[in-house]
């Protein structure tokens, strides 16, 4: 499944459509501690978090995740939103809790 496929499912609200929506989503990762996410988030994974600051976008770029999903109604602050646009990072959002958001991605990946 690509990021665009995930976006087209309309499961999540699109905050920022990044530059690489044709990237594959190969898994899902949940973590709110940025130092752990930086070292353990899998490349091409969908990262589910509630951290909405500019450091989240930096970690998403360093970890090379395919997209960030803001859960629990969390939102990017204005600096983070601008950085996501500048860096071409796809950011999606949901009111769902972290587990349920991740489960939806997992179900889409594994049917």
């Amino acid at each position: 499944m690509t990021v665009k496929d995930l976006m087209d499912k309309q499961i999540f609200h699109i905050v920022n459509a990044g530059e690489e929506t044709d990237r594959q989503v190969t898994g899902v990762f949940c973590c709110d501690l940025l130092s752990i996410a930086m070292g353990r988030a899998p490349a091409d994974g969908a990262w589910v978090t509630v951290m909405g600051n500019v450091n989240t976008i930096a970690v998403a770029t360093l970890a090379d995740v395919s997209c960030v999903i803001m859960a629990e109604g969390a939102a990017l602050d204005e600096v983070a939103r601008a950085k996501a646009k500048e860096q071409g990072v796809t950011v999606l959002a949901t009111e769902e809790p972290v587990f349920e958001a991740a489960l939806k991605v997992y179900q889409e990946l594994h049917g």
Side-chain angles (χ1 to χ4, degrees), residues 3-99:
V3 173
K4 183 176 181 342
D5 294 335
L6 185 59
M7 291 167 41
D8 288 347
K9 299 277 183 185
Q10 298 181 351
I11 299 168
F12 305 112
H13 170 72
I14 300 168
V15 176
N16 186 64
E19 297 171 356
E20 298 179 353
T21 58
D22 59 338
R23 282 186 72 170
Q24 291 294 310
V25 177
T26 59
V28 62
F29 178 77
C30 303
C31 186
D32 294 323
L33 190 56
L34 297 177
S35 60
I36 290 177
M38 187 168 29
R40 296 188 185 168
D44 297 323
W47 175 23
V48 184
T49 186
V50 297
M51 299 298 293
N53 62 43
V54 70
N55 294 329
T56 301
I57 303 306
V59 170
T61 302
L62 287 170
D64 199 26
V65 297
S66 57
C67 64
V68 175
I69 302 170
M70 302 298 301
E72 311 257 354
L76 293 179
D77 62 34
E78 289 306 314
V79 174
R81 185 182 294 258
K83 185 57 88 173
K85 287 182 183 186
E86 177 186 316
Q87 296 290 320
V89 176
T90 297
V91 181
L92 308 174
T94 183
E95 295 293 323
E96 297 283 337
V98 171
F99 177 80

